[in-house]
């Protein structure tokens, strides 16, 4: 799936994030010839995770179709490993249960304290949730 189409789906249906600027690849879930979900995979946002062998799910959005999230997480991992990557991760809000990630074989590996990206030397307007997050990943 091309990035523009995936981003349009995210723009319409994602609960708390805006579209992304770039990606490595995107996938769509189709049911009855209609797109019911998208996943966008890119380089890890955290510099320490960006080792050349790791990808990150930067956006996932569905229309609520049953099992679409776990289907997309599983497909993202399989595609990443088929391309030679060794690890794929994603962050969810600490208030979210992670059920679909567990169903797709991903494991909780850490917690990250929520914070703003803004600082004195580089002020920014936060366009994302600043709550604590959970890091899930799957390895090849």
């Amino acid at each position: 799936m091309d990035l523009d189409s995936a981003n349009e789906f995210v723009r319409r249906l994602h609960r708390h994030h805006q579209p992304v600027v770039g990606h490595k690849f995107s996938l769509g879930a189709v049911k009855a010839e209609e797109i019911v979900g998208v996943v966008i995979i890119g380089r890890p946002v955290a510099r320490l995770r960006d080792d050349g062998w790791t990808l990150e799910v930067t956006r996932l959005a569905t229309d609520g179709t049953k099992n679409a999230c776990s289907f997309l997480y599983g497909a993202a991992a399989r595609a990443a490993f088929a391309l030679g990557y060794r690890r794929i991760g994603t962050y969810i809000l600490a208030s979210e249960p992670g059920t679909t990630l567990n169903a797709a074989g991903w494991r909780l590996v850490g917690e990250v304290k929520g914070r703003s990206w803004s600082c004195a030397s580089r002020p920014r307007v936060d366009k994302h949730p600043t709550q604590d997050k959970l890091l899930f990943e799957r390895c090849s």
Side-chain angles (χ1 to χ4, degrees):
M1 168 169 237
D2 66 78
L3 182 59
D4 287 342
S5 299
N7 268 335
E8 176 56 24
F9 197 92
V10 167
R11 188 193 63 70
R12 287 188 294 113
L13 293 173
H14 201 284
R15 292 184 308 237
H16 51 77
H17 278 301
Q18 299 298 313
V20 299
V21 175
H23 73 150
K24 290 288 187 174
F25 62 92
S26 298
L27 303 170
V30 177
K31 182 177 181 182
E33 299 185 30
E34 293 290 326
I35 295 175
V36 297
V38 299
V39 62
I40 302 174
I41 299 93
R43 290 174 49 200
V45 175
R47 290 182 203 154
L48 291 176
R49 291 182 54 80
D50 192 8
D51 59 7
W53 298 106
T54 304
L55 289 179
E56 183 170 299
V57 170
T58 55
R59 297 290 185 276
L60 185 137
T62 73
D63 65 1
T65 297
K66 186 175 181 178
N67 299 324
C69 289
S70 55
F71 171 81
L72 287 165
Y73 279 126
R78 289 189 302 277
F81 302 150
L83 291 170
Y85 292 93
R86 297 180 183 162
R87 183 172 66 166
I88 185 167
T90 194
Y91 295 89
I92 64 170
L93 298 177
S95 59
E96 297 174 315
T99 306
T100 58
L101 286 156
N102 287 322
W106 294 53
R107 296 293 166 245
L108 176 63
V109 296
E111 296 180 39
V112 178
K113 290 291 179 196
R115 64 180 179 87
S116 173
W117 284 80
S118 185
C119 62
S121 63
R122 192 169 181 177
R124 299 178 184 178
V125 175
D126 293 319
K127 298 178 184 174
H128 66 284
T130 56
Q131 299 117 290
D132 293 351
K133 299 186 180 56
L134 302 175
L135 171 59
F136 281 79
E137 73 177 25
R138 192 162 159 194
C139 298
S140 61

